[in-house]
Amino acid sequence: MEATVTSCPSTPRWNLERPFLTGRFHQETKGTSRFPDAKSFSFDSFSSGPEKPIGCYDTAVQELIVIDDLLSALVGIEGRYISIKRLRGKEGNVTFQVDASMDLALQEMAKRIFPLCESFLLIDQFVESRSQFKNGLVNHAFAAALRALLLDYQAMVAQLEHQFRLGRLSVQGLWFYCQPMMGSMQALSIVIQKASANNLAGSAVLNLLQSQAKAMAGDNAVRSLLEKMAQCASNAYLGILERWIYEGVIDDPYGEFFIAENKSLQKESLTQDYDAKYWRQRYSLKEDIPSFLANIAGTILTTGKYLNVMRECGHNVQVPMSENSKLMTFGSSHHYLECVKAAYEFASGELLNLIKEKYDLVGKLRSIKHYLLLDQGDFLVHFMDIAREELLKKHDEISVEKLQSLLDLALRTTAAAADPCHEDLTCFVERSSLLKGLSTLKDLDIKTISDNNDAEEPLSITGLETFSLSYKIRWPLSIVISRKALAKYQLIFRFVFHCKHVERQLCGAWQMHQGVRAFNTCGTAISRSSLLCRSMLKFINSLLHYLTFEVLEPNWHVMHGRLQTAKSIDEVIQHHDFFLDKCLRECLLRLPELLKKVEKLKSLCLQYAAAAQWLISSSIDIPKLEDAPSDTSLGPEKSKQWKSRSLSKAQKLMTRNAAVTDSILKFEREFNAELQSLGPILSSSSQAEPYLTHLAQWILGVGHDQ
């Protein structure tokens, strides 16, 4: 991961422009002294005149000169016969060179030590560059650990120089003492080169150190050193992690933590935006995660999210901490895993208790079930009675304020008044039919139906097709009952509400048929109409029975049981969403082909119910000739006129009765045709959707009854 530049202090210019403060003065060109009058302070030689080639001296003298130059080179300072050369095109890479006239054996011995000198220069330069603010806390901690290592290294060089001044150090002895540090310094230089080349920061540095430590499994000393460096570099990172899992706070000034916070997403969006991303994207995982945290990254993310929710509720809670809770190591003991697990269990339990007990989640869901899933029928019956006139208007002519007042009246005068949550119930009118509304929802996985002419919007839809209820959900319950979840409840409500309306209309038609049973209806269309009305009622009653007793109630009880055993708020969300999706699917709302057939059948039922009064009144008013007045006081003239008028009227009524019979037969043919076409679709769908089996059997039974 590249270093993320956030709002951090800038490095002072004087720390970059004055080489004596950074250590780069060791590598300045020869003859650059701050004290031109004092030749003894020149950094390129210890004598005032031009140097003689080292080959002019005896081998013993050459050895002393080479040891002195090597001791300087070990700390990045050029000697008299050992020079530092920068490689072109490779920033920060240097190489050491010796005088060509030097004894070959001494040259070979010096070249063996040069890798250690080059490693020191690389590490020293890395420490200086990575100590700047912009490189982040992990690089700061890594540079501090390297600086401490270099202090030990420089102490070793000072001890070697002391031995040299005492005349006890030879070139072979110098090589002997340098060997233990050689492997460690070279391993660190490899890490530094990779980190510098890719400008790594944060978790990427930790992953690099750990991978290099694993690669050095055969060298215990080097592996231990790299593990120690990784441990030191991770201390600051673990400090950020500790605040997140214990307080729910991201204290990450340089953007190194593997959890990102999107402050533009607010909790209010959960109740306003259908596609609200607050819960999923307010806090999210970045791509670069430390390898030792990769398996529990999701748990860490969730723990902090839970603590944040409680803080947003004004419920300030902090995970209990002890000495064993400190995240100061990630070694083989896996102590950090136990700390994360304990923090997660505490945060999860606290949030779940808060939402279940203080905010009464189950009570809210039960209240929503009463109203939006029509579990309590008394308020609905009363409301449909008093709001009938308003609901029969076109959707753009309805007064929502009037509907709301009627809804409040129905709630206050029925058993719903005992529910403390009934005041959260509101109503509104949609602008489109149910089929059209379903086609606009992207995440319901519904096949498009816009290409079918049957899916065209009706020219005039009334409030009965567009009326819906809503529910005021407050934080933190909006995490579970989000705008999307509420929209799914409303889809189910609109479908069941309209089915209830169709049932009420057919019941009204059936009552009219029962009211004329005292009349002699033999030979009229009423008997046929009564059979058709009974078939339609059987269809709609069976559909409602299926929706309520075979879909909504069983699924609700399953969800309720799962909520009681849920161990986290995410499990609660999962069970609730699963309940809604299952209900949508089993209520045919995800099967547009079936839904269109059902809507067509309901439309036929409504048309028939609307025409029933005319059908009956046109059928029962048939005069009978034997009912002529028997009063003998009527003269033969008047009796003849009465019979003539009766015959004329009977002829007209019989003509009208034939039209009524044709109308009923037309309704019957259309209803039976739709019902029979629905049967094969249900039968084929029930193989993939087993829950449709009972509905298919019953509807096929209706068809056979016809």
Side-chain angles (χ1 to χ4, degrees), residues 345-601:
E345 291 176 351
F346 175 84
S348 177
E350 283 290 315
L351 178 59
L352 200 58
N353 288 335
L354 183 71
I355 286 184
K356 280 187 175 181
E357 304 299 330
K358 182 178 179 179
Y359 293 96
D360 192 19
L361 172 65
V362 177
K364 283 286 184 184
L365 290 174
R366 189 177 290 112
S367 179
I368 291 175
K369 175 174 178 273
H370 289 334
Y371 304 124
L372 270 72
L373 300 185
L374 301 178
D375 184 28
Q376 280 189 345
D378 56 342
F379 98 92
L380 179 69
V381 172
H382 187 35
F383 173 74
M384 293 180 79
D385 286 338
I386 61 179
R388 173 180 172 81
E389 183 179 345
E390 194 69 23
L391 290 174
L392 286 174
K393 296 179 181 178
K394 294 182 180 180
H395 69 96
D396 53 351
E397 298 175 357
I398 294 175
S399 170
V400 179
E401 293 78 10
K402 185 175 181 180
L403 278 181
Q404 183 64 51
S405 64
L406 293 173
L407 177 64
D408 293 338
L409 177 63
L411 290 171
R412 288 194 300 268
T413 55
T414 58
D419 182 6
C421 301
H422 77 272
E423 294 181 355
D424 293 330
L425 197 66
T426 60
C427 66
F428 67 99
V429 178
E430 295 281 4
R431 296 184 178 182
S432 58
S433 65
L434 181 63
L435 279 170
K436 190 75 172 178
L438 282 167
S439 65
T440 60
L441 299 181
K442 302 175 183 177
D443 65 321
L444 290 184
D445 191 27
I446 300 175
K447 298 177 182 178
T448 179
I449 57 175
S450 58
D451 55 345
N452 195 316
N453 293 331
D454 294 339
E456 292 180 359
E457 192 77 358
L459 294 176
S460 61
I461 53 176
T462 65
L464 292 163
E465 286 84 19
T466 57
F467 174 76
S468 184
L469 295 179
S470 187
Y471 207 89
K472 296 177 184 176
I473 304 295
R474 297 172 181 85
W475 175 265
L477 294 183
S478 55
I479 296 174
V480 180
I481 313 169
S482 63
R483 179 70 189 88
K484 181 182 291 188
L486 202 57
K488 294 177 181 178
Y489 274 114
Q490 289 165 348
L491 289 172
I492 298 172
F493 169 82
R494 290 180 63 186
F495 185 53
V496 179
F497 177 79
H498 195 252
C499 289
K500 291 275 189 182
H501 165 64
V502 175
E503 182 191 36
R504 282 169 58 87
Q505 297 303 104
L506 288 175
C507 284
W510 178 252
Q511 289 173 356
M512 293 174 63
H513 282 89
Q514 298 297 72
V516 298
R517 289 182 65 183
F519 295 93
N520 184 11
T521 58
C522 294
T524 69
I526 290 182
S527 57
R528 188 127 199 167
S529 177
S530 178
L531 289 174
L532 178 59
C533 186
R534 188 178 66 178
S535 295
M536 289 182 171
L537 263 176
K538 187 177 179 183
F539 163 75
I540 199 67
N541 284 335
S542 178
L543 179 61
L544 277 170
H545 183 276
Y546 166 77
L547 294 175
T548 53
F549 293 103
E550 295 191 27
V551 176
L552 298 179
E553 281 294 334
N555 286 328
W556 164 265
H557 286 293
V558 170
M559 180 193 70
H560 185 267
R562 289 174 176 172
L563 292 184
Q564 302 304 317
T565 59
K567 296 182 179 179
S568 70
I569 194 66
D570 281 298
E571 286 188 23
V572 170
I573 296 172
Q574 181 182 352
H575 295 325
H576 184 244
D577 289 346
F578 180 78
F579 160 73
L580 286 174
D581 291 338
K582 195 165 188 287
C583 287
L584 280 173
R585 190 170 60 252
E586 295 184 4
C587 286
L588 314 180
L589 296 176
R590 288 193 170 181
L591 303 170
E593 188 178 9
L594 274 173
L595 187 60
K596 283 190 295 180
K597 290 290 183 183
V598 171
E599 290 296 314
K600 178 64 175 176
L601 284 165

Side-chain angles (χ1 to χ4, degrees), residues 6-12 132-134 254:
T6 57
S7 55
C8 59
S10 59
T11 303
Q132 298 177 12
F133 291 112
K134 66 180 182 180
Y254 302 104

